[in-house]
Amino acid sequence: MNIVNYSKEYSKETAKICRQSLTCDIMPDYLFKEKTILDPDYRNDLTLIAREGNEIIGFIQGVIRTRQDGKYGYVKLLCVEKDFRRNKTAQRLYKEIEQKFIAEGVKVIRVGESYPNYLTPGVDPFYTEAVCFFERNGFVKFNDTSNLVSDLTHQSFDTQDDEKKLQKENFFVKRAEPNDRDRIIEWLGEVFPGWISEVEEAFKNNPVSLFIAGTAGKLLAFSAYETNNKGTGWFGPMGTDAEARGKGIGAVLLKKCLNALKEEGFVKAIIPWVGPIPFYMYNANAKVNRIFWRYEKKLS
Ligand SMILES: CC(C)(COP(=O)(O)OP(=O)(O)OC[C@H]1O[C@@H](n2cnc3c(N)ncnc32)[C@H](O)[C@@H]1OP(=O)(O)O)[C@@H](O)C(=O)NCCC(=O)NCCS
């Protein structure tokens, strides 16, 4: 078995191995491209394939993101072809990127959750081999989270009355337009800097897949959709400034996004990495659909 850096010529075959191995997920070619070369921090020296002869038998993608408290390494994708498992292929792929993480001063490695571009917010324990693999490699479970699903088919997300009430209190609600971009990004920098990249993705969609709310002089809340895992009905992120919470603004913005997804032909919306489950259950009848265990390994 030999390990080489990933390059575009391997994309079709590697996406196919991901599809066959990641059986709880979907991985069409366009999504594989979004996860790999379209990631803003994509590096082909952290994206490796294992080959047996000319056949690709394993794949790992690592990314390094610089967060406020330092560099984090992420195992973003990992899979080994079924017939070649338990032969230390994943181990060798992982160790190569771990060495690179260490050499570059990464302090913590996590699995999945490499926002703004990630497939899953942790390890789905239905991938039990992966649970064993990461625990064997020194990872510790530190939290869990879930993705919810809202069935869009039998729900109306009419917000007219709620919007009228908000208008009377001098709040506006609207879909963002391209020329709103700069002031939105500036405002996010002050209140929700972690979500800037995902919101920038919303501006690449046509129409802009972002709704905003505020008063004449001030932005107060936003919600977005189709900013990650595009084509899957992905909702989020959303945020309401602390001073504007409890007024129903978030609920209206959520429904505006879900209605937009519905109008675009989606039959369900995925509400990932939640957060306040009751808020989504109440406003969108969203139910827990998948559970993720969050793993990390501290390097020191
Ligand atoms: C998880 C996965 C990548 C492991 O690949 P692999 O090449 O078989 O793993 P390795 O042979 O390198 O395993 C290294 C260690 O991990 C643990 N491990 C891996 N698979 C295991 C299994 N089926 N049962 C128990 N332990 C396992 C073992 O401790 C193993 O060491 P050992 O063989 O000396 O006991 C592979 O099972 C896979 O592709 N699964 C489906 C996709 C997936 O879950 N991806 C990760 C999503 S987060």
Side-chain angles (χ1 to χ4, degrees):
M1 191 262 289
N2 70 325
I3 292 178
V4 295
N5 289 359
Y6 173 79
S7 68
K8 270 199 274 183
E9 68 192 276
Y10 303 122
S11 64
K12 281 253 170 221
E13 205 183 335
T14 315
K16 186 173 151 195
I17 287 177
C18 287
R19 281 195 284 281
Q20 288 169 340
S21 305
L22 295 165
T23 49
C24 303
D25 291 275
I26 59 160
M27 188 58 80
D29 289 354
Y30 69 84
L31 189 56
F32 182 75
K33 187 175 172 191
E34 182 196 287
K35 292 306 98 189
T36 51
I37 57 170
L38 295 183
D39 186 305
D41 296 314
Y42 167 77
R43 279 175 37 183
N44 79 332
D45 63 325
L46 290 175
T47 309
L48 309 174
I49 56 173
R51 289 194 305 186
E52 198 65 68
N54 280 332
E55 193 185 347
I56 297 177
I57 60 161
F59 174 69
I60 195 165
Q61 184 187 9
V63 281
I64 297 174
R65 308 253 198 246
T66 303
R67 307 295 190 200
Q68 274 176 333
D69 57 344
K71 281 184 184 176
Y72 281 64
Y74 296 90
V75 179
K76 186 174 175 186
L77 294 172
L78 170 67
C79 58
V80 169
E81 224 263 279
K82 245 191 177 105
D83 297 341
F84 293 87
R85 290 190 188 158
R86 291 310 291 271
N87 205 18
K88 302 272 193 263
T89 302
Q91 187 84 24
R92 285 183 53 193
L93 287 167
Y94 169 71
K95 283 291 169 197
E96 281 216 15
I97 66 163
E98 188 186 83
Q99 287 312 312
K100 289 182 181 158
F101 286 161
I102 292 169
E104 294 192 32
V106 163
K107 295 281 179 282
V108 181
I109 306 176
R110 290 189 173 173
V111 186
E113 66 172 89
S114 56
Y115 73 91
N117 180 320
Y118 63 99
L119 182 68
T120 56
V123 178
D124 181 333
F126 284 131
Y127 294 130
T128 313
E129 297 88 346
V131 168
C132 298
F133 175 84
F134 286 108
E135 293 194 359
R136 171 81 165 79
N137 278 287
F139 283 76
V140 175
K141 179 176 176 243
F142 69 97
N143 199 346
D144 56 54
T145 187
S146 48
N147 285 358
L148 313 187
V149 161
S150 171
D151 181 345
L152 305 177
T153 51
H154 302 298
Q155 293 190 75
S156 145
F157 299 105
D158 184 358
T159 52
Q160 274 183 10
D161 291 347
D162 293 331
E163 283 184 66
K164 273 184 198 146
K165 273 187 213 148
L166 290 173
Q167 258 168 16
K168 279 189 191 143
E169 294 173 56
N170 295 322
F171 295 111
F172 75 85
V173 176
K174 68 163 203 157
R175 187 189 277 272
E177 290 163 49
N179 60 8
D180 291 317
R181 187 182 170 282
D182 291 352
R183 68 173 181 138
I184 293 172
I185 300 298
E186 192 187 326
W187 169 70
L188 288 172
E190 289 157 19
V191 279
F192 299 118
W195 284 325
I196 288 177
S197 301
E198 278 156 285
V199 167
E200 275 175 343
E201 285 301 319
F203 277 98
K204 293 181 189 165
N205 295 329
N206 183 14
V208 178
S209 58
L210 175 72
F211 290 89
I212 51 174
T215 56
K218 206 167 180 207
L219 283 171
L220 291 168
F222 78 100
S223 68
Y225 64 97
E226 286 281 280
T227 62
N228 177 47
N229 295 329
K230 289 183 186 181
T232 65
W234 202 257
F235 169 78
M238 77 174 294
T240 302
D241 200 342
E243 68 175 84
R245 291 184 193 158
K247 298 181 193 300
I249 295 174
V252 168
L253 289 177
L254 165 69
K255 289 178 187 172
K256 298 284 269 185
C257 284
L258 297 183
N259 196 48
L261 282 166
K262 186 174 174 175
E263 282 180 355
E264 287 179 24
F266 289 96
V267 293
K268 62 177 186 177
I270 300 168
I271 303 176
W273 204 335
V274 174
I277 290 177
F279 170 77
Y280 295 107
M281 176 87 190
Y282 180 76
N283 289 301
N285 197 28
K287 296 187 181 166
V288 174
N289 180 257
R290 293 184 69 185
I291 290 171
F292 300 94
W293 292 356
R294 300 179 66 194
Y295 276 96
E296 70 178 13
K297 179 173 182 176
K298 292 201 162 93
L299 306 169
S300 49

